[in-house]
Amino acid sequence: MLAETVYNIAIHLSDSEVERLYTMLGERIKPTLSKKQSKKQLLTDRQAIDYLLKSVFKN
């Protein structure tokens, strides 16, 4: 069965049936936790200035 088919049926449910559906899904389907992507370390002001001087403003 396709998700689109289930969606088309679910939007026509009454509010009480939607709550029941969520309860049933909650027991069966556990959300997958995505691994946090490590953020790149931001540059300090000094590192940014050094980079600009070396790469952009070459002597």
Side-chain angles (χ1 to χ4, degrees):
M1 182 178 284
L2 297 177
E4 289 84 10
T5 306
V6 175
Y7 173 77
N8 288 328
I9 294 169
I11 61 173
H12 291 49
L13 292 175
S14 66
D15 290 341
S16 61
E17 287 298 314
V18 170
E19 287 181 29
R20 185 170 173 232
L21 175 64
Y22 280 127
T23 302
M24 292 167 59
L25 287 174
E27 293 171 1
R28 175 94 192 242
I29 300 172
K30 297 195 181 345
T32 57
L33 299 175
S34 61
K35 293 181 181 179
K36 279 190 172 182
Q37 295 178 355
S38 61
K39 292 184 180 180
K40 290 186 177 180
Q41 182 76 19
L42 292 178
L43 296 175
T44 63
D45 288 340
R46 186 71 220 160
Q47 290 172 327
I49 291 170
D50 289 342
Y51 172 77
L52 288 173
L53 290 174
K54 289 178 184 176
S55 61
V56 177
F57 302 107
K58 296 179 182 178
N59 290 340

